Amino acid sequence: MKIRSLKCNRLTRPMGFALEEIKLSWVVDEAEGAVATAARIEVSTGADFAGLCYDSGFLPDADSAGTLITLDTQPNTYYYWRVTVRSDAGEEGTSPVSFFATGRQGLPWRAKAIAAPFAEHPVFVRRFTVKEPLALAMLNICGVGLYEAYLNGQKVGDEYLTPNCNDYKTFLQYQTYDVTPLLQDENEMRVYVGDGWYKGRFGLENGHYGGDTLALLAEMTLRYADGREEVLGTDEAWQCETSPILGGGIYDGEQWDFTRPVSTARAVPGALDISLVRPRISPPVRVMQRVKPLWVRAQQDGSLLVDMGQNMAGLLRFYNRQPAGVHICFAFGETLQQGKFYNDNYRTALGKYEVVCDGTEGWLRPYFTYFGFRYVRITGFATPLDEEDLCGLVLHSDMDRTGCLTTPSEKVNRLYHNALWSQRGNFVDVPTDCPQRDERLGWTGDAQVFSATATYNMDTLAFYRKYLNDLHIEQDRRDGGVPAYAPTFGEKDMAPPSSVWSDAITIIPDNLYRFYGDIAVLRENYPYMKAWLAYIQRRVGEGHYLFDVDFHYGDWLALDGATSQSVKGGTEDEFVASVYFYNSARITARTAGVLGLAQEHERYHELAQNIQKAIYHEYFTPSGRLSIDTQTGYLICLRYGVYPHRQKLLRGLSRRFQKDLYTLKAGFVGAAPACQILCENGFVDLAYKLLLRESYPGWLYQVNLGATTIWERWNSLLADGSVSGTGMNSLNHYAYGSVVEFLYADVAGLKPARPGFGEAVVRPYINHRMPAAKASYDSPYGVYAVDWRIDADNRVTMELRVPFGCRAHLPYDDILPETLQIDGAGRHEARETEHLFGAGSFSLTYRTRIDHAHPFSRASIIEDVLAHPAARRALGEHLPQMVSQAQLGDEEKRCETIENMLGPLLPGSTPEKIKRADEALRRINVFE
Ligand code: BGC
C-alpha cells in the first residue's frame, strides 16, 4: 500500500493559511485490499513524531477525501502529520510525513506599516545580525500593492504577485515564509513594492482600488535554539531606496531603469490598515512551467520577433548581457498579422516591459505585472541575442493537475490542450475572462460555465473557495446581488447582477460539491445562494416568478443575434434569466436538503416549482411546444429539466438544428454545454458532429487556424488569419473550452455518481466519429481511468481502473450484457441494469447494442455521407445525381437526409435505386 497526495484543506503543505477548519486528505494506491477498515491520523510539532499533539486513533469511518481534526494551533509553528491506513486485506501502510504550518494567526502585530517619504517606487531595506543559533525564522509579510522580498539576495519563497488579488478594502492577505535557510550572521532584507491591482490602473473604470500609497508590513519571528523568540518588524528603523521600477501596472507592464541614481531615506509610517490584514486564503501563484521560444527572427526594422509557440500568461525573463545605457523594450502580442507583430486587441493595455540596462549581467523580469502572449517584439538590443537567454515563465495559481485525456483525433487533442492552456492563462488568483487586454476580470459567467471543466483538469477547490469568498464580499455590499465580475474593487455600477453570470454563486459550489463532496463548501455558500434568490425576488416583486426585469448579458456572443458581430444572441434574455432563476432555486433547495434543513428545502423547492409554472405559462404553448425557437432555448430547457412535454421539446430541438444546418448558433449559455446536453438526450451523432466541425463556427475551426488557446469568439480570427475585430476579441478566453467537460464525462465517459467521486459512472457515448478515447481523473479518492476502443464487430475493449475505496457503475445502456467479459484483480458484480466494479484494474470486452460500425443508410444526412469516402462512392454509384446536386447545390440540400431529397426534389431517383443505395450504404463498415 502506498499513500500519497497528503493535503490540508486541499492544499499541499500550506503555510500560513487561514485555518478555520483543518481537513486532512490522502489517497491510497497500490493496496491489496479494496477499502479501508480504519485510519489513524497523527500530528506532531516535530518531524520525528516524538510527541503527538493529535492522535485520532484508528477511526473506522475516517474519510480519505477529507477528515476534520480539531487542534489548538500555535502561531508560527509546523504541524507534521501522517496517516496510517488499514485495509480489508489486513494490510497496513503509513504515509510519508507532510505538514501544514501556521502564520502569526491572531497575534497582534508588533510591526508597524511603513511607507517611503518619496513618490517613487520604494525598496524597503533592513540590515540585521543573527548572533545565536536559530531553530526557526518565520516571515509574515504583506506589502501593498504587490511585493517581492529578498533576503541576502535570494528571493523569499517561490510565489509571484503577492499578496494576491482581492477586495483590498475588505481584507489584505499576508504570506508566511520559512526563511531559516536564507539567514546568515549578517543579513540584508530588501522588499520591492509596486502598484499591481491595488494602486495601478485596473478595471473597467481604470480605477485605483486599494490605496494611494505603497506600504509594507512585515514581521520576522526568530526562534533561537534555546527557545527564546525575537521579533523583527517593519518600523522607522527601515531604510527606503528609490527602486529601478519607474512604473507600470497589470495592464501596461513595467519600466525599469537600472541607471537611475538611488536616493535613500528613512521609512515613514505607512497607510495600510493593519486591522484588515488576515491569514491568506489564495493558493500561491507560482511559475508552473517554463517555455523556450520556438524561434527568434530578426526583422527588417532591426527588431527581433519571438514566437513562444504557445499562447500563455506570465512573464518573459531574459539574461541581460547588454552594456550600460541600452534601452530594451519587449512588447507582447497574441497573434501575428501578415507575419508582423500585432496587439491591437489588447485595447488600451500597453503590455510592455522596458529596461534601461546598467551593464550588469543577469536574469531580469518584471515584478508586478504579467502578460498574455505568444509573440514578443524586442527592440533595442545592442548585441546579438542568444535564444537561450529567453525563457517564458507560465504563471498561475498552483493547483495539482488531476485530469488527462486523449482521443484518436489530433485536432480534438489540440482543442483539449487549448482549453487547458486557457485555464492556465486565466487562473492567476482570480478566474479571469482573459489575461491580455485591459480587462482580466473575474467574470462570473465565464467562471461558472468553465468550473466543471476546470475541476476535471485540476484540483480547484481552494482556488474557487477564495473566489467564492470574493463573491460573498460583493453580495454583502449589494444586498445579495452577485455582480457580473468579482472582485469589483468597488466598481459598483460597472457590473450589476445579471442572470447566468450571477448564478455562479449557486452553480460553482454545486459543481465543487459534485467533485469533492465537501459539505463545508455548501455550508459556506448556502447563505449566499439564498441571498441571491432573495435579491431576485425583491427585483421581480412578490408573487412574480419570471426574472423579467433588469439587464442581462443573455446568450452572450451567440451567432443568432442581429449581426454576426453582435454580442447578444437571439434567445430572449428574460427567458434565459428565468430558467437560470429556476436552476438556482433548485440548487438551493437541494443544498438545503444536504444540509439537513428540511423546511428550507421545501421552501426553495416550492419556489422552483412556481418559477417552472411561470415559465410554462409564459414560454410554452398550452400543448407544450417551446415558443423560444432557438438552440439555446431548447438546450437550457433540457439541461435544467424545464419542459412540460419532453418529446415535443426534443422534436423542436431537432428541427431547430436541422434548420440551422447542424451548425452552432448558440453562445456562452447554450454552446458551452451543448455537446453534453445533446449527447445525454439522444443526439449523440449531432453532439459529435458539432464537436468535430472544422469550419466556422466550430471548435476545430480555431484549431485549424493554429489556435493554442480557446478564443473568445467563434471567429476571433477570420479564415485568412486576420483578426475579426478589436473591440472585444481575445485569443485566450476559456468559456467555450467548457466543451472539455463533455470529453471527460461523455466521450471518455467518466463522471461522478455521487458527490465526491466515491462512486463514478462509466458511460462512454460511442459514435462512429469517435472510435476510442482515454481519460483519467485523479479524484479526491484516487485515480479513475478509462481507456476504450471499438472494433469493426462493435466489440469494445476497455481498461478500467477504480481507486481504492471506490466503486464504478457501468450501465448496460449500450452494452449487450451477455457479451460482457471481465478480467482483472478486483471485485465486480452483475446487476440488473449495470455492472458494478469495486477498486481494482479491469480489462473488459463487450459488444454494443447499437451498430456503430454501420452508421449509413437512407436516413443519413447527405453531407455526412459525402464526408466518408466509401459512403460517398456508394451513393455516387446508385444516385449520382444526388452527389452532383449536393456538390453543386446549396448547403441546405447537403443537410437533407437522403430520403428527404427524393421525390420531387430529385427527379430521376427511382424507389429501386434508393433501395440499392440504402443497402450499399448499410454494408459500409466504418471501422474496417
Ligand atoms: C468579457 C466576457 C464577459 C463579458 C460580460 C467581456 O468583456 O471578456 O468574457 O463575460 O464581458 O458579458
Side-chain angles (χ1 to χ4, degrees), residues 347 433-434 437 439 443 445-446 501 553 556 668 712 728 733:
R347 301 195 301 214
D433 54 339
C434 55
R437 68 172 176 233
E439 194 149 354
W443 285 98
D446 310 45
W501 271 248
Y553 291 101
W556 193 246
F668 268 38
E712 179 169 19
M728 198 187 73
H733 229 77

mmCIF file of all heavy atoms in Angstrom, residues 347 433-434 437 439 443 445-446 501 553 556 668 712 728 733, ligand 1:
data_model
loop_
_atom_site.group_PDB
_atom_site.id
_atom_site.type_symbol
_atom_site.label_atom_id
_atom_site.label_comp_id
_atom_site.label_asym_id
_atom_site.label_seq_id
_atom_site.Cartn_x
_atom_site.Cartn_y
_atom_site.Cartn_z
ATOM 1 N N ARG A 347 -6.478 46.411 -26.692
ATOM 2 C CA ARG A 347 -7.157 47.690 -26.478
ATOM 3 C C ARG A 347 -6.188 48.681 -25.822
ATOM 4 O O ARG A 347 -5.121 48.906 -26.349
ATOM 5 C CB ARG A 347 -8.450 47.486 -25.676
ATOM 6 C CG ARG A 347 -9.404 46.518 -26.408
ATOM 7 C CD ARG A 347 -10.805 46.538 -25.885
ATOM 8 N NE ARG A 347 -10.935 46.210 -24.490
ATOM 9 C CZ ARG A 347 -11.984 45.559 -23.981
ATOM 10 N NH1 ARG A 347 -12.984 45.157 -24.775
ATOM 11 N NH2 ARG A 347 -12.054 45.315 -22.701
ATOM 12 N N ASP A 433 -11.542 36.425 -17.403
ATOM 13 C CA ASP A 433 -12.035 36.195 -18.763
ATOM 14 C C ASP A 433 -10.871 36.003 -19.721
ATOM 15 O O ASP A 433 -10.908 35.155 -20.597
ATOM 16 C CB ASP A 433 -12.930 37.357 -19.212
ATOM 17 C CG ASP A 433 -12.257 38.720 -19.094
ATOM 18 O OD1 ASP A 433 -11.291 38.855 -18.323
ATOM 19 O OD2 ASP A 433 -12.699 39.654 -19.780
ATOM 20 N N CYS A 434 -9.829 36.819 -19.542
ATOM 21 C CA CYS A 434 -8.704 36.796 -20.470
ATOM 22 C C CYS A 434 -7.490 37.375 -19.757
ATOM 23 O O CYS A 434 -7.632 38.116 -18.796
ATOM 24 C CB CYS A 434 -9.043 37.619 -21.715
ATOM 25 S SG CYS A 434 -9.544 39.320 -21.339
ATOM 26 N N ARG A 437 -5.839 41.778 -22.431
ATOM 27 C CA ARG A 437 -6.297 43.136 -22.707
ATOM 28 C C ARG A 437 -6.615 43.899 -21.416
ATOM 29 O O ARG A 437 -6.403 43.397 -20.315
ATOM 30 C CB ARG A 437 -7.513 43.108 -23.642
ATOM 31 C CG ARG A 437 -8.755 42.530 -23.018
ATOM 32 C CD ARG A 437 -9.954 42.714 -23.943
ATOM 33 N NE ARG A 437 -11.117 42.083 -23.383
ATOM 34 C CZ ARG A 437 -11.879 41.199 -24.027
ATOM 35 N NH1 ARG A 437 -11.585 40.832 -25.253
ATOM 36 N NH2 ARG A 437 -12.940 40.686 -23.435
ATOM 37 N N GLU A 439 -8.730 44.238 -19.295
ATOM 38 C CA GLU A 439 -9.919 43.686 -18.666
ATOM 39 C C GLU A 439 -9.491 42.710 -17.560
ATOM 40 O O GLU A 439 -9.474 43.058 -16.409
ATOM 41 C CB GLU A 439 -10.801 43.008 -19.714
ATOM 42 C CG GLU A 439 -12.184 42.712 -19.179
ATOM 43 C CD GLU A 439 -13.293 42.765 -20.229
ATOM 44 O OE1 GLU A 439 -13.032 43.144 -21.379
ATOM 45 O OE2 GLU A 439 -14.416 42.414 -19.873
ATOM 46 N N TRP A 443 -14.917 37.568 -14.343
ATOM 47 C CA TRP A 443 -16.304 37.497 -14.828
ATOM 48 C C TRP A 443 -16.967 36.215 -14.334
ATOM 49 O O TRP A 443 -16.473 35.103 -14.571
ATOM 50 C CB TRP A 443 -16.344 37.549 -16.358
ATOM 51 C CG TRP A 443 -16.078 38.923 -16.890
ATOM 52 C CD1 TRP A 443 -14.888 39.401 -17.347
ATOM 53 C CD2 TRP A 443 -17.022 40.005 -17.010
ATOM 54 N NE1 TRP A 443 -15.029 40.716 -17.742
ATOM 55 C CE2 TRP A 443 -16.315 41.112 -17.549
ATOM 56 C CE3 TRP A 443 -18.379 40.147 -16.714
ATOM 57 C CZ2 TRP A 443 -16.930 42.342 -17.801
ATOM 58 C CZ3 TRP A 443 -18.981 41.373 -16.958
ATOM 59 C CH2 TRP A 443 -18.269 42.453 -17.494
ATOM 60 N N GLY A 445 -19.818 34.798 -15.141
ATOM 61 C CA GLY A 445 -20.426 33.913 -16.141
ATOM 62 C C GLY A 445 -19.406 32.965 -16.719
ATOM 63 O O GLY A 445 -19.618 31.750 -16.778
ATOM 64 N N ASP A 446 -18.288 33.505 -17.119
ATOM 65 C CA ASP A 446 -17.220 32.684 -17.682
ATOM 66 C C ASP A 446 -16.778 31.644 -16.647
ATOM 67 O O ASP A 446 -16.588 30.468 -16.956
ATOM 68 C CB ASP A 446 -16.019 33.548 -18.078
ATOM 69 C CG ASP A 446 -16.404 34.754 -18.931
ATOM 70 O OD1 ASP A 446 -17.379 35.444 -18.600
ATOM 71 O OD2 ASP A 446 -15.720 35.000 -19.942
ATOM 72 N N TRP A 501 -24.537 34.930 -15.148
ATOM 73 C CA TRP A 501 -23.287 35.377 -14.529
ATOM 74 C C TRP A 501 -23.428 35.235 -13.009
ATOM 75 O O TRP A 501 -22.680 34.505 -12.369
ATOM 76 C CB TRP A 501 -23.000 36.829 -14.935
ATOM 77 C CG TRP A 501 -22.202 36.908 -16.204
ATOM 78 C CD1 TRP A 501 -20.911 37.340 -16.309
ATOM 79 C CD2 TRP A 501 -22.617 36.529 -17.535
ATOM 80 N NE1 TRP A 501 -20.505 37.236 -17.617
ATOM 81 C CE2 TRP A 501 -21.510 36.757 -18.382
ATOM 82 C CE3 TRP A 501 -23.778 36.012 -18.080
ATOM 83 C CZ2 TRP A 501 -21.557 36.488 -19.755
ATOM 84 C CZ3 TRP A 501 -23.828 35.742 -19.441
ATOM 85 C CH2 TRP A 501 -22.730 35.980 -20.257
ATOM 86 N N TYR A 553 -26.823 39.742 -19.596
ATOM 87 C CA TYR A 553 -25.929 39.542 -20.749
ATOM 88 C C TYR A 553 -26.525 38.533 -21.722
ATOM 89 O O TYR A 553 -26.237 38.561 -22.913
ATOM 90 C CB TYR A 553 -24.543 39.078 -20.300
ATOM 91 C CG TYR A 553 -23.797 40.169 -19.581
ATOM 92 C CD1 TYR A 553 -23.724 40.189 -18.191
ATOM 93 C CD2 TYR A 553 -23.209 41.193 -20.296
ATOM 94 C CE1 TYR A 553 -23.067 41.206 -17.532
ATOM 95 C CE2 TYR A 553 -22.543 42.221 -19.649
ATOM 96 C CZ TYR A 553 -22.478 42.222 -18.259
ATOM 97 O OH TYR A 553 -21.829 43.237 -17.615
ATOM 98 N N TRP A 556 -24.622 35.381 -24.544
ATOM 99 C CA TRP A 556 -23.507 36.232 -24.969
ATOM 100 C C TRP A 556 -22.746 35.638 -26.158
ATOM 101 O O TRP A 556 -22.401 34.467 -26.155
ATOM 102 C CB TRP A 556 -22.575 36.379 -23.761
ATOM 103 C CG TRP A 556 -21.532 37.448 -23.853
ATOM 104 C CD1 TRP A 556 -20.183 37.256 -23.904
ATOM 105 C CD2 TRP A 556 -21.745 38.861 -23.856
ATOM 106 N NE1 TRP A 556 -19.552 38.468 -23.948
ATOM 107 C CE2 TRP A 556 -20.483 39.470 -23.922
ATOM 108 C CE3 TRP A 556 -22.888 39.661 -23.822
ATOM 109 C CZ2 TRP A 556 -20.326 40.854 -23.950
ATOM 110 C CZ3 TRP A 556 -22.731 41.026 -23.849
ATOM 111 C CH2 TRP A 556 -21.464 41.611 -23.914
ATOM 112 N N PHE A 668 -22.473 31.773 -25.092
ATOM 113 C CA PHE A 668 -21.967 31.337 -23.781
ATOM 114 C C PHE A 668 -22.944 30.406 -23.066
ATOM 115 O O PHE A 668 -22.555 29.457 -22.428
ATOM 116 C CB PHE A 668 -21.752 32.552 -22.873
ATOM 117 C CG PHE A 668 -20.366 33.127 -22.915
ATOM 118 C CD1 PHE A 668 -19.668 33.196 -24.103
ATOM 119 C CD2 PHE A 668 -19.765 33.609 -21.766
ATOM 120 C CE1 PHE A 668 -18.390 33.740 -24.146
ATOM 121 C CE2 PHE A 668 -18.496 34.158 -21.787
ATOM 122 C CZ PHE A 668 -17.811 34.225 -22.974
ATOM 123 N N GLU A 712 -12.195 33.820 -27.731
ATOM 124 C CA GLU A 712 -13.407 34.422 -27.178
ATOM 125 C C GLU A 712 -14.582 34.274 -28.145
ATOM 126 O O GLU A 712 -15.715 34.036 -27.728
ATOM 127 C CB GLU A 712 -13.155 35.915 -26.926
ATOM 128 C CG GLU A 712 -14.357 36.653 -26.367
ATOM 129 C CD GLU A 712 -13.994 38.044 -25.873
ATOM 130 O OE1 GLU A 712 -12.941 38.561 -26.274
ATOM 131 O OE2 GLU A 712 -14.763 38.596 -25.070
ATOM 132 N N MET A 728 -13.584 43.618 -28.793
ATOM 133 C CA MET A 728 -13.647 42.647 -27.703
ATOM 134 C C MET A 728 -13.269 41.308 -28.301
ATOM 135 O O MET A 728 -14.102 40.571 -28.785
ATOM 136 C CB MET A 728 -15.074 42.605 -27.150
ATOM 137 C CG MET A 728 -15.175 41.991 -25.773
ATOM 138 S SD MET A 728 -16.893 41.796 -25.279
ATOM 139 C CE MET A 728 -17.403 40.445 -26.292
ATOM 140 N N HIS A 733 -9.544 32.813 -23.945
ATOM 141 C CA HIS A 733 -10.802 33.035 -23.231
ATOM 142 C C HIS A 733 -11.420 31.664 -23.002
ATOM 143 O O HIS A 733 -11.896 31.043 -23.943
ATOM 144 C CB HIS A 733 -11.704 33.839 -24.175
ATOM 145 C CG HIS A 733 -12.333 35.037 -23.570
ATOM 146 N ND1 HIS A 733 -11.651 36.201 -23.351
ATOM 147 C CD2 HIS A 733 -13.602 35.271 -23.167
ATOM 148 C CE1 HIS A 733 -12.478 37.100 -22.826
ATOM 149 N NE2 HIS A 733 -13.665 36.558 -22.698
HETATM 150 C C1 BGC B 1 -15.703 39.551 -21.135
HETATM 151 C C2 BGC B 1 -16.583 38.339 -21.132
HETATM 152 C C3 BGC B 1 -17.612 38.654 -20.106
HETATM 153 C C4 BGC B 1 -18.424 39.761 -20.693
HETATM 154 C C5 BGC B 1 -19.656 40.137 -19.978
HETATM 155 C C6 BGC B 1 -16.499 40.677 -21.689
HETATM 156 O O1 BGC B 1 -15.807 41.826 -21.877
HETATM 157 O O2 BGC B 1 -14.497 39.345 -21.771
HETATM 158 O O3 BGC B 1 -16.000 37.143 -21.169
HETATM 159 O O4 BGC B 1 -18.335 37.604 -19.610
HETATM 160 O O5 BGC B 1 -17.641 40.886 -20.954
HETATM 161 O O6 BGC B 1 -20.628 39.854 -20.769
#
